Amino acid sequence: MNQPSWSPPDASKAGATLETFILEGMFQVPGATGMFTSLLNQISLACKLITGRVRRAGLADVLGWTGETNVQGESVQKLDIIANETMLAVLKRRGHCMGVASEELDNAVLFPQARGGYLVVVDPLDGSSNIDVDVSIGTIFGILRMKPETPLSEESFLVSGRNYAAAGYVIYGSSTVLVLSTGKGVHGFTWDPGAGEFFLSHENIRCPTRGNIYSVNEGNTARWTPGVKRWVDHVKQENKADGRPYSHRYVGSLVADAHRTLLKGGIFAYPADKKSPKGKLRLLYEANPMAFVFEAAGGRATTGKGSVLDIVPTELHQRVPLIIGSKHDVETFEEFAKQDPEGA
Ligand code: FBP
């Protein structure tokens, strides 16, 4: 009788929840206070609550706009507010978060009573334009270390991405997956609603050095610089030896386009253009967390002119061009971007 080809899942991973994984990380840090661990667990708790609301959105009258616009001039969705308030409430409760900078808040919220020296930056619900049509959306977060001996203020958030202690995102897609990096490696955890836990499902994610997918909103072509136009023409050209033409994929949710690019390789680009001369995506809570994850996974993150993580922000909601993906593909983009005159 033929042996069955299927073999049971690796039982040793059964217990690998996000919580145990974070705790094990803490035990490896001499003198760890547990504050950082607690903060990571609070963020994952908030995302568990948000995934519950997102999954039932159509049944709970939480779809659609609030009629408000946020500091970015964008119409705010009801779920944006629910996700933002959920994240704030969870982070405030335990007193291990000194403050939060969020896409949905004009100013940072400070918790002077808190301890630990950590700040959180967050895009509570990314991909707002896709919420009502049930296309993948997400939450993006970063944890910053405050500069020692500096007073807690909004300026405390204006540090380069090199000061992030951890970053990641959660994708609310066909399954809910939390991707996390503390700078050394990147790991993915899939949400099991039955057990109410995130379980390790993608250990040590490495972004392939090269891919064959490019992701950009081609609706902006007329607004692009000549260098960006030439880059898109290049990836579309037939060249078997060079694995071109690339396929085009664009969801319109940064988390979804980045997650695919991280796992499969290739490149996601939201370059500066005539409509968004500084780029569209926000440095603190969109570009930096993604750049932190991609660099930790062996990928690359650039504005086209330099590394995203080296930028020292001057404003809380500062925008930047964001190009992330496989090292080879992002370097190719930079070759074309370099052809554009400064300030193009
Ligand atoms: P928010 O939805 O959090 O405001 O994020 C902005 C965003 O939706 C990104 O997720 C996405 O990559 C980009 O804007 C899509 O922009 P566009 O519709 O111009 O292509």
Side-chain angles (χ1 to χ4, degrees):
M1 189 178 78
N2 288 343
Q3 288 305 319
S5 59
W6 177 84
S7 53
D10 173 357
S12 69
K13 285 227 177 98
T17 65
L18 173 63
E19 203 152 338
T20 48
F21 192 86
I22 294 170
L23 266 178
E24 282 155 14
M26 181 185 86
F27 296 141
Q28 282 151 29
V29 181
T33 62
M35 303 272 183
F36 179 66
T37 303
S38 145
L39 205 43
L40 280 172
N41 283 321
Q42 285 160 48
I43 290 173
S44 80
L45 170 62
C47 294
K48 289 176 185 176
L49 296 169
I50 294 169
T51 193
R53 301 303 297 268
V54 166
R55 300 273 173 226
R56 294 194 312 278
L59 306 171
D61 181 31
V62 291
L63 292 178
W65 307 109
T66 58
E68 309 284 325
T69 54
N70 64 19
V71 65
Q72 344 262 340
E74 293 160 340
S75 308
V76 178
Q77 292 243 355
K78 294 175 187 170
L79 267 175
D80 282 325
I81 298 300
I82 291 168
N84 189 53
E85 287 173 358
T86 303
M87 188 61 77
L88 282 180
V90 170
L91 290 174
K92 184 170 184 206
R93 194 186 316 279
R94 187 109 32 102
H96 296 160
C97 172
M98 308 288 289
V100 180
S102 163
E103 179 183 302
E104 299 309 329
L105 298 170
D106 300 8
N107 302 101
V109 176
L110 306 177
F111 305 128
Q113 312 316 318
R115 296 165 298 128
Y118 290 107
L119 301 163
V120 170
V121 292
V122 65
D123 178 355
L125 213 54
D126 170 66
S128 307
S129 60
N130 280 325
I131 295 175
D132 284 8
V133 290
D134 304 311
V135 169
S136 300
I137 51 180
T139 294
I140 309 174
F141 62 87
I143 298 179
L144 290 70
R145 277 187 206 86
M146 272 185 65
K147 283 203 186 118
E149 319 313 322
T150 56
L152 175 63
S153 71
E154 193 146 293
E155 267 67 51
S156 310
F157 290 85
L158 304 182
V159 292
S160 80
R162 302 279 173 213
N163 293 278
Y164 283 35
Y169 58 82
V170 176
I171 178 165
Y172 309 113
S174 49
S175 55
T176 294
V177 178
L178 184 150
V179 171
L180 173 68
S181 179
T182 55
K184 291 188 256 13
V186 178
H187 307 281
F189 302 82
T190 298
W191 165 244
D192 175 345
E197 288 287 355
F198 281 105
F199 286 95
L200 182 63
S201 52
H202 306 68
E203 196 162 5
N204 204 19
I205 299 170
R206 299 302 293 166
C207 182
T209 47
R210 177 169 190 171
N212 60 6
I213 296 173
Y214 75 105
S215 182
V216 66
N217 182 347
E218 298 221 29
N220 294 330
T221 303
R223 300 174 179 142
W224 287 335
T225 61
V228 173
K229 285 180 183 163
R230 279 197 291 276
W231 166 69
V232 172
D233 292 345
H234 169 79
V235 290
K236 286 181 177 178
Q237 255 154 33
E238 185 80 37
N239 181 322
K240 270 211 163 38
D242 193 34
R244 286 179 286 130
Y246 278 21
S247 295
H248 183 244
R249 297 282 182 278
Y250 191 73
V251 176
S253 294
L254 170 60
V255 166
D257 287 312
H259 188 60
R260 181 198 57 247
T261 306
L262 184 71
L263 298 182
K264 293 208 174 278
I267 181 170
F268 166 84
Y270 209 112
D273 61 32
K274 290 195 189 95
K275 180 177 170 216
S276 315
K278 294 191 178 147
K280 174 180 181 174
L281 301 171
R282 281 50 61 118
L283 176 59
L284 261 68
Y285 42 78
E286 289 176 323
N288 269 341
M290 285 301 175
F292 189 92
V293 167
F294 271 82
E295 287 207 2
R300 190 168 169 73
T302 181
T303 62
K305 302 285 182 198
S307 165
V308 169
L309 291 177
D310 294 332
I311 302 171
V312 179
T314 51
E315 297 159 44
L316 218 53
H317 302 287
Q318 181 172 336
R319 296 173 188 264
V320 288
L322 179 65
I323 295 90
I324 47 178
S326 300
K327 211 164 173 301
H328 170 88
D329 297 311
V330 175
E331 284 166 354
T332 305
F333 178 95
E334 288 174 309
E335 288 307 311
F336 284 92
K338 256 194 309 212
Q339 300 164 4
D340 284 327
E342 224 18 78

